[in-house]
Amino acid sequence: MEKRTFLKTGIFMGIAAATTSFLEACKTVDKNPPSTVAPTLPPPKLRRTTPFTLPPLGYDVAALEPHIDKMTMEIHHGKHHNAYVNNLNDAVKDTVYAEYELEDIIARISTSDTDKKIRNNGGGHWNHSFFWKTIVPDGGNAPSANLAAAINATFGSQDKFKEQFSNAAKSVFGSGWAWLCVGKDKKLFVSSTPNQDNPLMLNVSKQPGTPILGLDVWEHAYYLKYQNKRPDYITAFYNLINWKVVSERFEKAGG
Ligand code: MN
């Protein structure tokens, strides 16, 4: 080998080795992202120009009887959800979130004390808007073939999924939510969050993901009818799930 060729080859191999170790390092970082560091998000696309408003239920307050009673729905939607909307409008005034759409706020909210009111009420508004669409008067039909296959693959069977989801909902200590989500790896997982947190809060959630099904287990969601019997409320929920909407969310999340 000529000296010049030898040098060129040597330099090339050096660069190749450095590149390989750099790529390996990237892979390692990607495989184990620090849970406390959120991914860099693109700037918000939409600028909101009107206040947040209470979305309509889409069905009558009495339509979920006997599983969820009329008075619970009146208070839950008309008072509790409405309060989250009003408090959120108040909380975002004069902040960086003032013109953000709800999804952009949720993705960026931090655990700091200054963000607390926006986190609680932004989560409250998002979670309830999501929940009203998750349940439907003539619910309890079946998931799509794709979602049913994914549920079977992840949990073993539809019944095993229900068992895991119910356990997550029962295990929330105090107030919070149980979720079925699509993870970054496009696989399903069950989780729960305290208070009004949700898996879309990248800086807050221990297990970020895209929720496709959620159950409110705050006492205000069931206490009038079920009192301390949260498991009975969870069982009743399965009669109300709008699997058509949940299946559409699953497809949209790339699951
Ligand atoms: Mn609620």
Side-chain angles (χ1 to χ4, degrees), residues 41 46 52 100-108 126 200:
L41 291 165
L46 300 167
F52 293 109
Y100 283 19
E101 292 291 346
L102 186 56
E103 287 71 17
D104 285 322
I105 295 174
I106 295 289
R108 287 166 175 78
W126 193 94
L200 292 171

Side-chain angles (χ1 to χ4, degrees), residues 55-221:
L57 272 179
Y59 39 82
D60 190 80
V61 281
L64 304 179
E65 297 262 12
H67 308 296
I68 301 179
D69 60 288
K70 182 184 173 198
M71 189 183 274
T72 294
M73 289 304 289
E74 277 173 352
I75 297 170
H76 200 178
H77 178 255
K79 305 287 183 192
H80 288 281
H81 188 175
N82 198 44
Y84 293 124
V85 171
N86 291 337
N87 290 336
L88 177 62
N89 281 323
D90 187 48
V92 296
K93 263 184 214 158
D94 305 321
T95 73
V96 291
Y97 303 110
E99 294 184 342
Y100 283 19
E101 292 291 346
L102 186 56
E103 287 71 17
D104 285 322
I105 295 174
I106 295 289
R108 287 166 175 78
I109 203 74
S110 80
T111 55
S112 72
D113 277 354
T114 44
D115 275 1
K116 202 169 182 182
K117 190 174 174 186
I118 302 176
R119 171 180 168 188
N120 287 340
N121 292 288
H125 182 25
W126 193 94
N127 294 348
H128 287 86
S129 303
F130 181 85
F131 186 53
W132 310 135
K133 291 188 189 124
T134 303
I135 49 180
V136 69
D138 48 358
N141 48 346
S144 68
N146 270 354
L147 178 53
I151 287 174
N152 289 338
T154 304
F155 305 102
S157 68
Q158 305 293 309
D159 282 346
K160 288 255 172 63
F161 154 69
K162 272 168 100 172
E163 194 185 322
Q164 199 173 318
F165 186 86
S166 296
N167 284 338
K170 285 177 204 164
S171 307
V172 173
F173 185 75
S175 302
W177 291 75
W179 305 99
L180 173 64
C181 297
V182 176
K184 206 178 161 191
D185 58 3
K186 304 296 177 198
K187 289 195 177 138
L188 292 171
F189 68 88
V190 163
S191 68
S192 64
T193 53
N195 306 315
Q196 294 297 354
D197 290 351
N198 72 44
L200 292 171
M201 295 179 175
L202 298 174
N203 299 305
V204 171
S205 179
K206 284 180 188 157
Q207 229 179 333
T210 305
I212 62 171
L213 176 76
L215 176 59
D216 186 345
V217 292
W218 282 58
E219 284 186 345
H220 70 221

Side-chain angles (χ1 to χ4, degrees), residues 215-233:
L215 176 59
D216 186 345
V217 292
W218 282 58
E219 284 186 345
H220 70 221
Y222 63 88
Y223 205 83
L224 290 178
K225 183 177 171 69
Y226 296 95
Q227 294 86 45
N228 60 322
K229 299 184 286 287
R230 189 194 283 182
D232 291 357
Y233 160 69

